[in-house]
PDB file of all heavy atoms in Angstrom:
ATOM      1  N   LEU A   1      32.989 -12.317  47.355  1.00 38.00           N
ATOM      2  CA  LEU A   1      34.320 -12.522  47.885  1.00 38.00           C
ATOM      3  C   LEU A   1      34.979 -13.671  47.151  1.00 38.00           C
ATOM      4  O   LEU A   1      34.326 -14.606  46.734  1.00 38.00           O
ATOM      5  CB  LEU A   1      34.260 -12.831  49.389  1.00 38.00           C
ATOM      6  CG  LEU A   1      33.642 -11.730  50.267  1.00 38.00           C
ATOM      7  CD1 LEU A   1      33.593 -12.195  51.708  1.00 38.00           C
ATOM      8  CD2 LEU A   1      34.439 -10.439  50.154  1.00 38.00           C
ATOM      9  N   ARG A   2      36.283 -13.611  46.977  1.00 38.00           N
ATOM     10  CA  ARG A   2      37.032 -14.655  46.304  1.00 38.00           C
ATOM     11  C   ARG A   2      38.377 -14.828  47.002  1.00 38.00           C
ATOM     12  O   ARG A   2      38.889 -13.889  47.606  1.00 38.00           O
ATOM     13  CB  ARG A   2      37.246 -14.317  44.828  1.00 38.00           C
ATOM     14  CG  ARG A   2      37.931 -12.995  44.596  1.00 38.00           C
ATOM     15  CD  ARG A   2      37.883 -12.590  43.123  1.00 38.00           C
ATOM     16  NE  ARG A   2      38.427 -11.254  42.918  1.00 38.00           N
ATOM     17  CZ  ARG A   2      38.359 -10.611  41.771  1.00 38.00           C
ATOM     18  NH1 ARG A   2      37.782 -11.171  40.731  1.00 38.00           N
ATOM     19  NH2 ARG A   2      38.872  -9.403  41.646  1.00 38.00           N
ATOM     20  N   PRO A   3      38.962 -16.025  46.971  1.00 37.00           N
ATOM     21  CA  PRO A   3      40.246 -16.241  47.648  1.00 37.00           C
ATOM     22  C   PRO A   3      41.337 -15.350  47.071  1.00 37.00           C
ATOM     23  O   PRO A   3      41.549 -15.302  45.861  1.00 37.00           O
ATOM     24  CB  PRO A   3      40.537 -17.717  47.362  1.00 37.00           C
ATOM     25  CG  PRO A   3      39.203 -18.312  47.039  1.00 37.00           C
ATOM     26  CD  PRO A   3      38.430 -17.223  46.371  1.00 37.00           C
ATOM     27  N   ALA A   4      42.039 -14.643  47.927  1.00 37.00           N
ATOM     28  CA  ALA A   4      43.079 -13.722  47.469  1.00 37.00           C
ATOM     29  C   ALA A   4      44.271 -14.470  46.900  1.00 37.00           C
ATOM     30  O   ALA A   4      44.910 -14.018  45.956  1.00 37.00           O
ATOM     31  CB  ALA A   4      43.531 -12.818  48.620  1.00 37.00           C
ATOM     32  N   ARG A   5      44.589 -15.637  47.455  1.00 39.00           N
ATOM     33  CA  ARG A   5      45.799 -16.339  47.038  1.00 39.00           C
ATOM     34  C   ARG A   5      45.685 -16.894  45.619  1.00 39.00           C
ATOM     35  O   ARG A   5      46.689 -17.200  45.004  1.00 39.00           O
ATOM     36  CB  ARG A   5      46.118 -17.472  47.997  1.00 39.00           C
ATOM     37  CG  ARG A   5      45.134 -18.615  47.968  1.00 39.00           C
ATOM     38  CD  ARG A   5      45.546 -19.698  48.948  1.00 39.00           C
ATOM     39  NE  ARG A   5      44.650 -20.832  48.936  1.00 39.00           N
ATOM     40  CZ  ARG A   5      44.737 -21.830  48.076  1.00 39.00           C
ATOM     41  NH1 ARG A   5      45.673 -21.828  47.153  1.00 39.00           N
ATOM     42  NH2 ARG A   5      43.889 -22.841  48.126  1.00 39.00           N
ATOM     43  N   CYS A   6      44.477 -17.073  45.086  1.00 39.00           N
ATOM     44  CA  CYS A   6      44.332 -17.607  43.734  1.00 39.00           C
ATOM     45  C   CYS A   6      44.028 -16.514  42.721  1.00 39.00           C
ATOM     46  O   CYS A   6      43.803 -16.803  41.560  1.00 39.00           O
ATOM     47  CB  CYS A   6      43.227 -18.680  43.686  1.00 39.00           C
ATOM     48  SG  CYS A   6      41.562 -18.008  43.675  1.00 39.00           S
ATOM     49  N   PHE A   7      44.017 -15.232  43.155  1.00 36.00           N
ATOM     50  CA  PHE A   7      43.660 -14.167  42.227  1.00 36.00           C
ATOM     51  C   PHE A   7      44.654 -14.079  41.079  1.00 36.00           C
ATOM     52  O   PHE A   7      44.279 -14.040  39.908  1.00 36.00           O
ATOM     53  CB  PHE A   7      43.621 -12.828  42.974  1.00 36.00           C
ATOM     54  CG  PHE A   7      43.371 -11.645  42.064  1.00 36.00           C
ATOM     55  CD1 PHE A   7      42.113 -11.411  41.548  1.00 36.00           C
ATOM     56  CD2 PHE A   7      44.406 -10.788  41.727  1.00 36.00           C
ATOM     57  CE1 PHE A   7      41.880 -10.335  40.706  1.00 36.00           C
ATOM     58  CE2 PHE A   7      44.182  -9.709  40.888  1.00 36.00           C
ATOM     59  CZ  PHE A   7      42.924  -9.485  40.392  1.00 36.00           C
ATOM     60  N   TYR A   8      45.959 -14.098  41.402  1.00 38.00           N
ATOM     61  CA  TYR A   8      46.968 -13.992  40.349  1.00 38.00           C
ATOM     62  C   TYR A   8      46.922 -15.215  39.439  1.00 38.00           C
ATOM     63  O   TYR A   8      47.053 -15.109  38.220  1.00 38.00           O
ATOM     64  CB  TYR A   8      48.360 -13.855  40.967  1.00 38.00           C
ATOM     65  CG  TYR A   8      49.468 -13.755  39.950  1.00 38.00           C
ATOM     66  CD1 TYR A   8      49.576 -12.638  39.121  1.00 38.00           C
ATOM     67  CD2 TYR A   8      50.390 -14.782  39.800  1.00 38.00           C
ATOM     68  CE1 TYR A   8      50.587 -12.553  38.180  1.00 38.00           C
ATOM     69  CE2 TYR A   8      51.396 -14.704  38.867  1.00 38.00           C
ATOM     70  CZ  TYR A   8      51.491 -13.585  38.062  1.00 38.00           C
ATOM     71  OH  TYR A   8      52.492 -13.512  37.119  1.00 38.00           O
ATOM     72  N   TRP A   9      46.726 -16.411  40.032  1.00 39.00           N
ATOM     73  CA  TRP A   9      46.655 -17.629  39.222  1.00 39.00           C
ATOM     74  C   TRP A   9      45.473 -17.578  38.259  1.00 39.00           C
ATOM     75  O   TRP A   9      45.559 -17.972  37.107  1.00 39.00           O
ATOM     76  CB  TRP A   9      46.560 -18.837  40.142  1.00 39.00           C
ATOM     77  CG  TRP A   9      46.057 -20.086  39.473  1.00 39.00           C
ATOM     78  CD1 TRP A   9      44.916 -20.750  39.739  1.00 39.00           C
ATOM     79  CD2 TRP A   9      46.687 -20.807  38.416  1.00 39.00           C
ATOM     80  NE1 TRP A   9      44.772 -21.836  38.930  1.00 39.00           N
ATOM     81  CE2 TRP A   9      45.853 -21.890  38.105  1.00 39.00           C
ATOM     82  CE3 TRP A   9      47.868 -20.635  37.695  1.00 39.00           C
ATOM     83  CZ2 TRP A   9      46.154 -22.801  37.111  1.00 39.00           C
ATOM     84  CZ3 TRP A   9      48.171 -21.551  36.705  1.00 39.00           C
ATOM     85  CH2 TRP A   9      47.327 -22.611  36.421  1.00 39.00           C
ATOM     86  N   CYS A  10      44.321 -17.063  38.729  1.00 45.00           N
ATOM     87  CA  CYS A  10      43.141 -16.986  37.870  1.00 45.00           C
ATOM     88  C   CYS A  10      43.375 -16.070  36.675  1.00 45.00           C
ATOM     89  O   CYS A  10      42.810 -16.288  35.604  1.00 45.00           O
ATOM     90  CB  CYS A  10      41.934 -16.497  38.678  1.00 45.00           C
ATOM     91  SG  CYS A  10      41.410 -17.648  39.967  1.00 45.00           S
ATOM     92  N   GLN A  11      44.208 -15.043  36.860  1.00 46.00           N
ATOM     93  CA  GLN A  11      44.500 -14.154  35.746  1.00 46.00           C
ATOM     94  C   GLN A  11      45.418 -14.810  34.714  1.00 46.00           C
ATOM     95  O   GLN A  11      45.448 -14.426  33.549  1.00 46.00           O
ATOM     96  CB  GLN A  11      45.162 -12.864  36.267  1.00 46.00           C
ATOM     97  CG  GLN A  11      44.370 -12.153  37.344  1.00 46.00           C
ATOM     98  CD  GLN A  11      42.958 -11.848  36.911  1.00 46.00           C
ATOM     99  OE1 GLN A  11      42.744 -11.278  35.849  1.00 46.00           O
ATOM    100  NE2 GLN A  11      41.985 -12.218  37.728  1.00 46.00           N
ATOM    101  N   MET A  12      46.212 -15.818  35.140  1.00 53.00           N
ATOM    102  CA  MET A  12      47.191 -16.435  34.254  1.00 53.00           C
ATOM    103  C   MET A  12      46.648 -17.635  33.495  1.00 53.00           C
ATOM    104  O   MET A  12      47.242 -18.067  32.516  1.00 53.00           O
ATOM    105  CB  MET A  12      48.422 -16.862  35.072  1.00 53.00           C
ATOM    106  CG  MET A  12      49.179 -15.714  35.702  1.00 53.00           C
ATOM    107  SD  MET A  12      49.809 -14.537  34.483  1.00 53.00           S
ATOM    108  CE  MET A  12      50.882 -15.595  33.522  1.00 53.00           C
ATOM    109  N   VAL A  13      45.526 -18.216  33.946  1.00 63.00           N
ATOM    110  CA  VAL A  13      44.987 -19.403  33.299  1.00 63.00           C
ATOM    111  C   VAL A  13      44.412 -19.024  31.944  1.00 63.00           C
ATOM    112  O   VAL A  13      43.531 -18.175  31.836  1.00 63.00           O
ATOM    113  CB  VAL A  13      43.907 -20.063  34.173  1.00 63.00           C
ATOM    114  CG1 VAL A  13      43.206 -21.176  33.407  1.00 63.00           C
ATOM    115  CG2 VAL A  13      44.527 -20.618  35.429  1.00 63.00           C
ATOM    116  N   LYS A  14      44.906 -19.649  30.904  1.00 80.00           N
ATOM    117  CA  LYS A  14      44.406 -19.434  29.561  1.00 80.00           C
ATOM    118  C   LYS A  14      44.806 -20.622  28.708  1.00 80.00           C
ATOM    119  O   LYS A  14      45.487 -21.540  29.159  1.00 80.00           O
ATOM    120  CB  LYS A  14      44.950 -18.143  28.969  1.00 80.00           C
ATOM    121  CG  LYS A  14      46.469 -18.118  28.806  1.00 80.00           C
ATOM    122  CD  LYS A  14      46.920 -16.812  28.180  1.00 80.00           C
ATOM    123  CE  LYS A  14      48.425 -16.799  27.962  1.00 80.00           C
ATOM    124  NZ  LYS A  14      48.886 -15.550  27.319  1.00 80.00           N
ATOM    125  N   ALA A  15      44.329 -20.635  27.475  1.00 84.00           N
ATOM    126  CA  ALA A  15      44.683 -21.716  26.559  1.00 84.00           C
ATOM    127  C   ALA A  15      46.024 -21.392  25.903  1.00 84.00           C
ATOM    128  O   ALA A  15      46.353 -20.227  25.653  1.00 84.00           O
ATOM    129  CB  ALA A  15      43.599 -21.882  25.496  1.00 84.00           C
ATOM    130  N   TYR A  16      46.786 -22.432  25.633  1.00 88.00           N
ATOM    131  CA  TYR A  16      48.100 -22.281  25.023  1.00 88.00           C
ATOM    132  C   TYR A  16      48.168 -23.135  23.764  1.00 88.00           C
ATOM    133  O   TYR A  16      47.687 -24.272  23.742  1.00 88.00           O
ATOM    134  CB  TYR A  16      49.206 -22.704  25.989  1.00 88.00           C
ATOM    135  CG  TYR A  16      49.276 -21.863  27.240  1.00 88.00           C
ATOM    136  CD1 TYR A  16      48.547 -22.217  28.373  1.00 88.00           C
ATOM    137  CD2 TYR A  16      50.051 -20.719  27.280  1.00 88.00           C
ATOM    138  CE1 TYR A  16      48.606 -21.444  29.516  1.00 88.00           C
ATOM    139  CE2 TYR A  16      50.116 -19.941  28.420  1.00 88.00           C
ATOM    140  CZ  TYR A  16      49.387 -20.306  29.529  1.00 88.00           C
ATOM    141  OH  TYR A  16      49.444 -19.532  30.661  1.00 88.00           O
ATOM    142  N   GLN A  17      48.761 -22.583  22.731  1.00 90.00           N
ATOM    143  CA  GLN A  17      48.970 -23.328  21.492  1.00 90.00           C
ATOM    144  C   GLN A  17      50.366 -23.015  20.964  1.00 90.00           C
ATOM    145  O   GLN A  17      50.768 -21.854  20.884  1.00 90.00           O
ATOM    146  CB  GLN A  17      47.922 -22.954  20.441  1.00 90.00           C
ATOM    147  CG  GLN A  17      48.095 -23.707  19.123  1.00 90.00           C
ATOM    148  CD  GLN A  17      46.944 -23.459  18.153  1.00 90.00           C
ATOM    149  OE1 GLN A  17      45.796 -23.352  18.562  1.00 90.00           O
ATOM    150  NE2 GLN A  17      47.250 -23.342  16.881  1.00 90.00           N
ATOM    151  N   PHE A  18      51.109 -24.065  20.617  1.00 92.00           N
ATOM    152  CA  PHE A  18      52.472 -23.869  20.109  1.00 92.00           C
ATOM    153  C   PHE A  18      52.818 -25.008  19.174  1.00 92.00           C
ATOM    154  O   PHE A  18      52.158 -26.052  19.161  1.00 92.00           O
ATOM    155  CB  PHE A  18      53.486 -23.770  21.260  1.00 92.00           C
ATOM    156  CG  PHE A  18      53.252 -24.737  22.384  1.00 92.00           C
ATOM    157  CD1 PHE A  18      53.764 -26.027  22.341  1.00 92.00           C
ATOM    158  CD2 PHE A  18      52.505 -24.367  23.487  1.00 92.00           C
ATOM    159  CE1 PHE A  18      53.554 -26.917  23.374  1.00 92.00           C
ATOM    160  CE2 PHE A  18      52.288 -25.252  24.536  1.00 92.00           C
ATOM    161  CZ  PHE A  18      52.821 -26.538  24.473  1.00 92.00           C
ATOM    162  N   GLU A  19      53.848 -24.773  18.344  1.00 95.00           N
ATOM    163  CA  GLU A  19      54.278 -25.740  17.342  1.00 95.00           C
ATOM    164  C   GLU A  19      55.692 -26.226  17.644  1.00 95.00           C
ATOM    165  O   GLU A  19      56.553 -25.451  18.042  1.00 95.00           O
ATOM    166  CB  GLU A  19      54.251 -25.118  15.943  1.00 95.00           C
ATOM    167  CG  GLU A  19      52.870 -24.750  15.444  1.00 95.00           C
ATOM    168  CD  GLU A  19      52.904 -24.222  14.015  1.00 95.00           C
ATOM    169  OE1 GLU A  19      54.005 -24.220  13.408  1.00 95.00           O
ATOM    170  OE2 GLU A  19      51.853 -23.807  13.503  1.00 95.00           O
ATOM    171  N   VAL A  20      55.897 -27.524  17.430  1.00 96.00           N
ATOM    172  CA  VAL A  20      57.226 -28.117  17.532  1.00 96.00           C
ATOM    173  C   VAL A  20      57.663 -28.479  16.117  1.00 96.00           C
ATOM    174  O   VAL A  20      57.051 -29.341  15.482  1.00 96.00           O
ATOM    175  CB  VAL A  20      57.205 -29.378  18.421  1.00 96.00           C
ATOM    176  CG1 VAL A  20      58.602 -29.987  18.502  1.00 96.00           C
ATOM    177  CG2 VAL A  20      56.671 -29.050  19.808  1.00 96.00           C
ATOM    178  N   PRO A  21      58.667 -27.823  15.571  1.00 96.00           N
ATOM    179  CA  PRO A  21      59.073 -28.099  14.186  1.00 96.00           C
ATOM    180  C   PRO A  21      59.728 -29.470  14.049  1.00 96.00           C
ATOM    181  O   PRO A  21      60.316 -30.002  14.992  1.00 96.00           O
ATOM    182  CB  PRO A  21      60.069 -26.973  13.881  1.00 96.00           C
ATOM    183  CG  PRO A  21      60.615 -26.575  15.217  1.00 96.00           C
ATOM    184  CD  PRO A  21      59.500 -26.775  16.199  1.00 96.00           C
ATOM    185  N   GLY A  22      59.617 -30.026  12.845  1.00 95.00           N
ATOM    186  CA  GLY A  22      60.242 -31.314  12.574  1.00 95.00           C
ATOM    187  C   GLY A  22      59.234 -32.453  12.564  1.00 95.00           C
ATOM    188  O   GLY A  22      58.128 -32.331  13.097  1.00 95.00           O
ATOM    189  N   PRO A  23      59.599 -33.588  11.961  1.00 95.00           N
ATOM    190  CA  PRO A  23      58.686 -34.740  11.887  1.00 95.00           C
ATOM    191  C   PRO A  23      58.354 -35.279  13.279  1.00 95.00           C
ATOM    192  O   PRO A  23      59.232 -35.366  14.144  1.00 95.00           O
ATOM    193  CB  PRO A  23      59.480 -35.771  11.076  1.00 95.00           C
ATOM    194  CG  PRO A  23      60.537 -34.987  10.362  1.00 95.00           C
ATOM    195  CD  PRO A  23      60.867 -33.836  11.248  1.00 95.00           C
ATOM    196  N   PRO A  24      57.097 -35.666  13.531  1.00 95.00           N
ATOM    197  CA  PRO A  24      56.743 -36.295  14.809  1.00 95.00           C
ATOM    198  C   PRO A  24      57.454 -37.638  14.972  1.00 95.00           C
ATOM    199  O   PRO A  24      57.708 -38.345  13.994  1.00 95.00           O
ATOM    200  CB  PRO A  24      55.224 -36.487  14.702  1.00 95.00           C
ATOM    201  CG  PRO A  24      54.783 -35.525  13.637  1.00 95.00           C
ATOM    202  CD  PRO A  24      55.922 -35.429  12.679  1.00 95.00           C
ATOM    203  N   VAL A  25      57.775 -37.983  16.205  1.00 95.00           N
ATOM    204  CA  VAL A  25      58.477 -39.231  16.505  1.00 95.00           C
ATOM    205  C   VAL A  25      57.665 -40.014  17.540  1.00 95.00           C
ATOM    206  O   VAL A  25      57.404 -39.501  18.629  1.00 95.00           O
ATOM    207  CB  VAL A  25      59.896 -38.978  17.054  1.00 95.00           C
ATOM    208  CG1 VAL A  25      60.605 -40.299  17.334  1.00 95.00           C
ATOM    209  CG2 VAL A  25      60.700 -38.129  16.075  1.00 95.00           C
ATOM    210  N   PRO A  26      57.247 -41.242  17.238  1.00 94.00           N
ATOM    211  CA  PRO A  26      56.497 -42.036  18.221  1.00 94.00           C
ATOM    212  C   PRO A  26      57.417 -42.620  19.284  1.00 94.00           C
ATOM    213  O   PRO A  26      58.605 -42.823  19.049  1.00 94.00           O
ATOM    214  CB  PRO A  26      55.863 -43.139  17.361  1.00 94.00           C
ATOM    215  CG  PRO A  26      56.811 -43.303  16.220  1.00 94.00           C
ATOM    216  CD  PRO A  26      57.377 -41.936  15.943  1.00 94.00           C
ATOM    217  N   GLN A  27      56.841 -42.884  20.437  1.00 91.00           N
ATOM    218  CA  GLN A  27      57.583 -43.545  21.503  1.00 91.00           C
ATOM    219  C   GLN A  27      57.861 -44.991  21.097  1.00 91.00           C
ATOM    220  O   GLN A  27      56.938 -45.751  20.820  1.00 91.00           O
ATOM    221  CB  GLN A  27      56.776 -43.520  22.804  1.00 91.00           C
ATOM    222  CG  GLN A  27      57.409 -44.259  23.962  1.00 91.00           C
ATOM    223  CD  GLN A  27      58.638 -43.555  24.496  1.00 91.00           C
ATOM    224  OE1 GLN A  27      58.740 -42.341  24.434  1.00 91.00           O
ATOM    225  NE2 GLN A  27      59.560 -44.320  25.043  1.00 91.00           N
ATOM    226  N   PRO A  28      59.130 -45.418  21.047  1.00 88.00           N
ATOM    227  CA  PRO A  28      59.434 -46.795  20.629  1.00 88.00           C
ATOM    228  C   PRO A  28      59.203 -47.785  21.761  1.00 88.00           C
ATOM    229  O   PRO A  28      59.090 -47.412  22.937  1.00 88.00           O
ATOM    230  CB  PRO A  28      60.915 -46.728  20.265  1.00 88.00           C
ATOM    231  CG  PRO A  28      61.456 -45.677  21.184  1.00 88.00           C
ATOM    232  CD  PRO A  28      60.351 -44.656  21.346  1.00 88.00           C
TER     233      PRO A  28
END
């Protein structure tokens, strides 16, 4: 048995990778 309310959330959890174009900017 598993909690029904977290079933949809468990299907959506995955790793994400994305790129932000342009030079990195440090916090001043």
Side-chain angles (χ1 to χ4, degrees):
L1 299 177
R2 56 191 174 188
R5 68 179 181 84
C6 78
F7 175 74
Y8 179 67
W9 162 244
C10 294
Q11 306 305 309
M12 296 300 299
V13 172
K14 63 179 182 178
Y16 297 90
Q17 180 173 323
F18 41 86
E19 294 184 4
V20 179
V25 181
Q27 176 70 30

